[in-house]
Amino acid sequence: MSHRIRVAIAGYGNLGRGVELALKQNPDMSLVGVFSRRDPASVTLLDNDVPVYAMADIEQYQDDVDVMILCGGSKSDLPEQGPYLAQFFNTVDSFDTHAKVPEYYAALDQSARDAGRVALLSVGWDPGLFSLNRLYGEAILPEGETYTFWGKGLSQGHSDAVRRVPGVKAGVQYTLPSTEAMARVRSGEQPELSTREKHTRECYIVLDEGADAEVIRDSIVTMPDYFADYDTVVNFIDQATFDKEHSSMPHGGFVIRSGHSGADSKQSIEYSLTLASNPEFTASVLVAYARAVYRLARVNDIGAKTVFDIAPGLLSPKSPAQLRKELL
Amino acid sequence: MSHRIRVAIAGYGNLGRGVELALKQNPDMSLVGVFSRRDPASVTLLDNDVPVYAMADIEQYQDDVDVMILCGGSKSDLPEQGPYLAQFFNTVDSFDTHAKVPEYYAALDQSARDAGRVALLSVGWDPGLFSLNRLYGEAILPEGETYTFWGKGLSQGHSDAVRRVPGVKAGVQYTLPSTEAMARVRSGEQPELSTREKHTRECYIVLDEGADAEVIRDSIVTMPDYFADYDTVVNFIDQATFDKEHSSMPHGGFVIRSGHSGADSKQSIEYSLTLASNPEFTASVLVAYARAVYRLARVNDIGAKTVFDIAPGLLSPKSPAQLRKELL
């Protein structure tokens, strides 16, 4: 490779830190800077040699960055930052508001095309790798059903809800795939299942001193919208156990395509992820796709793209001949 | 779609029959003919309305076929048919002699480029979907190990070996992933495992009248190259059970990428197939990729290709906008 791919990060939270870590595992790329809306002097990276710049100055660096990895949130950051930054940089982001994808895609595409840039949206595992498996599954087995299960995984919104219950000192909520629903799907039965039938919920709670566990359990399992319609298990633990066992951000899930070919040959495709760190894994996917963005930009294949548009070989540092020889 | 994609089949055995079946599940494609080296009058298709032609006349039909699906064997058919037919047709095949891929690719590429055609090789599940998952796995988790397990699946070569043992009236051999090896890999231990450590073997045997079961069991489990170095279980059954339970061609397997991100966050990606019919599933993959070949040919993106070169969206009958809306 003639030079290392120059990557920068816009937004330095859990995801941005994950991207910094993932880049260290990819010797054909280098992190040339981090952009933050905070005072750059207040942002401490894992690697002190990488400069931190003010987001307000980002336009000045458009000739110094091959790919900008956008690590802001989907709710308010990306809808604004994505189309703005695609004017100056080739970008990749993890936009995950499924319902707003068409609108976001259109805004990015316009901006990227006008500027002759590549803007790759909705990269990660869902949307991202799970989306790919939904597509491969239904293209290969047109007669069948696709099932997506999430978990075991930390759910931020539900953890917040649990912590708002009076008497709860600390708490987390995990979403788990329902064992029964998974077994039915794997049997090839092709059941109709709602999201709630497919999942159960598990809470780990540290109580305030003197709080009544049974009252709190009842408040949680009957909470409308969040827990009332699910099977929910509430576990009470002490603060030391909580700190030790519930401070990471595990996640994962399954995409299963259950179909048939011919007369009635049952065929099943299953894809699953077991992740100790959700943000670090999403970051690893973003970095692999940043390599693809760089390559598309080099051949002037511009505009907004999704994982559906990216040939798999573009993700690997290996040459096409090496891939055919080693991995086919 | 302006017209249905006109597909033809070259070679009508188990795989060709699977392609005929798979095409019926894809309303944007139609089977316009089957080419065989046998006397066309002796070849009976599932659908009597589709014409059968002599392989010797195939050049005459080059304007009538959008994509030719090659269903011959990798050992002697494809090395000759592939480069020859790529002169006249856009092709897709399931060439699976891993060691000879570079050589076959070069021959196909030359032929297809000279003729302005697309030739997609080594499509199916391994090589094919498993190859894709090996690539995605190592691109996303560069620090880790990839494990491929095959089975439970019927092994043709080992079944033939079992049937050559005197006293065996009928027999099949299944390869199974070793439960112990799978557990070690899934634990994130990243063990070093040879192919034989990863698999066990299971035989179902019908005895000739008067044959000694123990002598035959011993002949099988000690057979050099085939069984001696594996854990092998031999089951004796009657002919009726054999006919009922061992006449289909199940297969499947697993690709597991076990890696880590950051300091030591364990991350695991697992892909698995459970197939009631191996040839029908391979055929279903070939048909989805035939759609991609058609689209590449329309934009003149010619030459030899592998699954690594094919953007996933090209496999689906849905438009890019529909894919973004429904599957991302």
Side-chain angles (χ1 to χ4, degrees):
Chain A
M1 204 148 296
S2 50
H3 84 111
R4 292 163 84 197
I5 302 170
R6 298 167 304 167
V7 176
I9 294 169
Y12 193 76
N14 283 330
L15 186 59
R17 202 171 303 114
V19 169
E20 185 183 5
L21 287 165
L23 286 168
K24 289 182 195 296
Q25 295 188 344
N26 290 276
D28 61 331
M29 304 191 194
S30 66
L31 179 60
V32 297
V34 168
F35 294 87
S36 175
R37 279 175 306 198
R38 287 175 277 162
D39 172 9
S42 75
V43 178
T44 307
L45 308 188
L46 300 167
D47 180 347
N48 291 321
D49 295 339
V50 174
V52 180
Y53 303 110
M55 192 76 87
D57 299 332
I58 199 165
E59 292 182 31
Q60 300 171 21
Y61 297 90
Q62 54 184 298
D63 295 332
D64 305 316
V65 175
D66 294 316
V67 184
M68 182 69 69
I69 301 183
L70 277 51
C71 296
S74 295
K75 198 167 175 190
S76 49
D77 298 334
L78 293 177
E80 190 189 311
Q81 286 175 358
Y84 170 71
L85 293 176
Q87 299 176 276
F88 312 110
F89 302 97
N90 303 303
T91 65
V92 52
D93 71 50
S94 63
F95 185 78
D96 67 358
T97 312
H98 287 79
K100 297 203 170 161
V101 161
E103 184 185 331
Y104 183 59
Y105 175 90
L108 270 186
D109 194 50
Q110 174 88 56
S111 174
R113 284 191 188 281
D114 288 350
R117 301 286 187 174
V118 181
L120 178 62
L121 62 144
S122 299
V123 171
W125 58 274
D126 197 356
L129 302 178
F130 274 20
S131 320
L132 285 178
N133 279 279
R134 288 188 283 264
L135 187 157
Y136 280 119
E138 71 168 42
I140 291 162
L141 297 173
E143 298 185 2
E145 289 294 332
T146 302
Y147 299 87
T148 301
F149 293 87
W150 295 277
K152 180 183 179 173
L154 184 77
S155 162
Q156 210 56 65
H158 285 74
S159 296
D160 289 345
V162 157
R163 287 190 287 262
R164 284 192 297 265
V165 173
V168 170
K169 186 176 166 199
V172 288
Q173 195 267 188
Y174 301 100
T175 304
L176 285 84
S178 152
T179 318
E180 190 200 327
M182 292 269 299
R184 289 180 63 195
V185 168
R186 283 176 172 156
S187 77
E189 183 191 325
Q190 296 185 24
E192 275 192 44
L193 297 167
S194 63
T195 299
R196 63 186 45 173
E197 282 177 291
K198 292 193 296 183
H199 298 95
T200 60
R201 302 191 174 279
E202 197 172 87
C203 304
Y204 289 85
I205 305 291
V206 182
L207 293 172
D208 281 329
E209 214 173 297
D212 184 328
E214 286 318 303
V215 171
I216 285 171
R217 186 194 309 275
D218 194 61
S219 306
I220 291 172
V221 302
T222 60
M223 196 185 295
D225 302 331
Y226 286 90
F227 295 99
D229 301 314
Y230 290 85
D231 285 336
T232 302
V233 174
V234 182
N235 303 292
F236 297 99
I237 57 176
D238 60 33
Q239 186 72 49
T241 308
F242 186 89
D243 294 342
K244 183 162 165 251
E245 295 175 8
H246 301 282
S247 56
S248 64
M249 282 173 280
H251 220 308
F254 299 79
V255 177
I256 303 177
R257 179 69 177 179
S258 175
H260 70 270
S261 60
D264 64 351
S265 307
K266 281 187 185 173
Q267 314 279 29
S268 171
I269 307 173
E270 182 166 331
Y271 183 79
S272 68
L273 297 173
T274 310
L275 309 176
S277 167
N278 183 2
E280 284 180 15
F281 187 77
T282 300
S284 295
V285 182
L286 282 167
V287 167
Y289 274 96
R291 184 180 288 116
V293 166
Y294 172 74
R295 289 168 169 175
L296 291 178
R298 301 236 320 181
V299 298
N300 216 29
D301 187 353
I302 62 167
K305 312 277 178 191
T306 73
V307 293
F308 300 147
D309 305 310
I310 309 295
L314 295 175
L315 303 189
S316 172
K318 294 179 176 173
S319 71
Q322 200 179 358
L323 290 175
R324 287 191 296 270
K325 190 165 190 292
E326 296 177 11
L327 295 181
L328 197 63
Chain B
M1 206 149 296
S2 49
H3 83 113
R4 291 164 85 197
I5 302 170
R6 300 168 302 167
V7 176
I9 294 170
Y12 194 75
N14 284 329
L15 186 59
R17 201 171 304 114
V19 168
E20 185 183 6
L21 287 164
L23 285 167
K24 289 182 194 296
Q25 295 188 344
N26 289 277
D28 61 331
M29 304 191 194
S30 66
L31 179 60
V32 297
V34 168
F35 294 87
S36 175
R37 280 175 306 197
R38 287 175 279 162
D39 172 9
S42 75
V43 177
T44 307
L45 307 188
L46 301 167
D47 180 348
N48 291 321
D49 295 338
V50 174
V52 181
Y53 304 108
M55 191 77 86
D57 299 332
I58 199 166
E59 291 182 32
Q60 301 171 22
Y61 297 90
Q62 55 183 297
D63 295 332
D64 305 316
V65 175
D66 294 316
V67 184
M68 181 68 70
I69 301 184
L70 278 50
C71 295
S74 295
K75 199 168 172 188
S76 48
D77 299 334
L78 294 176
E80 189 190 311
Q81 287 176 358
Y84 170 71
L85 293 176
Q87 297 176 278
F88 311 110
F89 301 98
N90 303 304
T91 66
V92 52
D93 71 50
S94 64
F95 185 79
D96 67 358
T97 313
H98 286 79
K100 297 202 171 162
V101 162
E103 184 186 332
Y104 183 60
Y105 175 90
L108 269 186
D109 194 49
Q110 174 87 57
S111 173
R113 283 191 188 282
D114 288 351
R117 300 287 186 174
V118 181
L120 178 61
L121 63 144
S122 300
V123 170
W125 60 274
D126 197 357
L129 302 178
F130 273 21
S131 320
L132 284 177
N133 278 278
R134 288 188 283 263
L135 187 158
Y136 280 119
E138 72 168 42
I140 290 162
L141 297 173
E143 298 185 2
E145 291 292 332
T146 302
Y147 299 87
T148 301
F149 292 88
W150 293 278
K152 180 183 176 172
L154 184 78
S155 163
Q156 211 54 68
H158 284 74
S159 296
D160 289 344
V162 158
R163 288 190 286 261
R164 284 193 297 265
V165 174
V168 170
K169 186 177 168 199
V172 288
Q173 194 268 185
Y174 300 100
T175 304
L176 286 84
S178 151
T179 318
E180 191 201 327
M182 293 269 300
R184 290 179 64 195
V185 168
R186 283 175 171 157
S187 77
E189 182 191 324
Q190 295 184 24
E192 275 191 46
L193 297 168
S194 63
T195 300
R196 63 186 45 173
E197 282 178 293
K198 293 191 298 183
H199 299 94
T200 60
R201 302 191 175 280
E202 198 172 86
C203 305
Y204 289 85
I205 305 291
V206 182
L207 293 172
D208 281 329
E209 214 173 296
D212 183 329
E214 287 318 302
V215 170
I216 286 172
R217 185 195 308 276
D218 194 60
S219 304
I220 292 172
V221 302
T222 60
M223 195 186 295
D225 301 332
Y226 285 89
F227 294 99
D229 301 314
Y230 290 84
D231 285 335
T232 303
V233 175
V234 181
N235 303 292
F236 296 98
I237 57 176
D238 60 34
Q239 185 73 49
T241 308
F242 186 89
D243 293 343
K244 183 162 164 250
E245 295 177 8
H246 301 282
S247 56
S248 65
M249 283 174 279
H251 219 308
F254 298 79
V255 176
I256 303 176
R257 179 68 177 180
S258 173
H260 71 269
S261 61
D264 64 350
S265 306
K266 282 186 185 175
Q267 314 278 29
S268 171
I269 307 173
E270 182 166 330
Y271 184 79
S272 68
L273 298 172
T274 310
L275 310 175
S277 167
N278 184 2
E280 283 180 17
F281 187 77
T282 300
S284 296
V285 182
L286 282 167
V287 167
Y289 274 96
R291 185 180 288 117
V293 165
Y294 172 74
R295 289 169 169 173
L296 291 177
R298 301 238 317 183
V299 298
N300 215 29
D301 187 354
I302 61 166
K305 312 277 179 191
T306 73
V307 292
F308 300 148
D309 304 312
I310 309 294
L314 296 174
L315 303 189
S316 173
K318 294 180 176 173
S319 72
Q322 202 180 357
L323 289 175
R324 287 192 295 270
K325 191 164 188 291
E326 295 177 12
L327 295 182
L328 198 65

